[in-house]
């Protein structure tokens, strides 16, 4: 009886290829999860930048800004704002971005960073 090593090698190759794809998929899921999800928009505290940006666009003073300035302001808000208060703003229980904890005039660093976005 002769052993068909070519058949075993071919089956092993298919199995190894499938395993490699599965491993690659698991690594991608782990990396995306660690980076805040498939969109990469969530930050520490779970606030989603895309949701924050969309909510900010609803405000009269903000909606006319260019997308680059708006994105910059969202980044500044995510950096200096209280995450629970930002989420409450997105959800609608905090009515204005000005009412988010950490984003008031008393936070000089926030104000300076915000002005740089719109200069």
């Amino acid at each position: 009886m002769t052993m068909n090593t070519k058949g075993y090698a071919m089956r092993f190759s298919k199995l190894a290829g499938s395993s490699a794809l599965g491993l690659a998929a698991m690594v991608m899921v782990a990396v995306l999860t660690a980076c805040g999800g498939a969109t990469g928009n969530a930050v520490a505290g779970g606030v989603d930048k895309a949701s924050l940006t969309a909510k900010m666009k609803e405000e009269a003073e903000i909606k006319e800004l260019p997308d680059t300035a708006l994105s910059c302001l969202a980044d500044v808000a995510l950096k200096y704002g209280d995450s629970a208060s930002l989420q409450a703003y997105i959800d609608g229980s905090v009515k204005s971005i000005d009412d988010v904890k950490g984003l008031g005039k008393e936070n000089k660093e926030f104000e300076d960073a915000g002005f740089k976005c719109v200069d």
Side-chain angles (χ1 to χ4, degrees), residues 14-97:
K14 286 182 181 180
L15 178 63
S18 296
S19 296
L21 284 174
L23 178 61
M26 289 187 326
V27 168
M28 287 294 291
V29 168
V31 167
L32 289 173
T33 301
C35 291
T39 61
N41 284 323
V43 296
V47 178
D48 181 68
K49 182 179 176 182
S51 298
L52 177 60
T53 303
K55 182 67 175 178
M56 289 171 68
K57 280 185 178 182
E58 295 174 7
E59 296 211 21
E61 322 73 57
I62 298 175
K63 69 180 177 183
E64 300 299 322
L65 291 175
D67 287 341
T68 54
L70 183 61
S71 178
C72 179
L73 286 173
D75 287 334
V76 170
L78 289 168
K79 180 176 181 180
Y80 293 102
D82 173 72
S83 61
S85 188
L86 282 168
Q87 190 60 54
Y89 169 68
I90 292 168
D91 295 340
S93 58
V94 170
K95 298 301 178 198
S96 170
I97 192 74

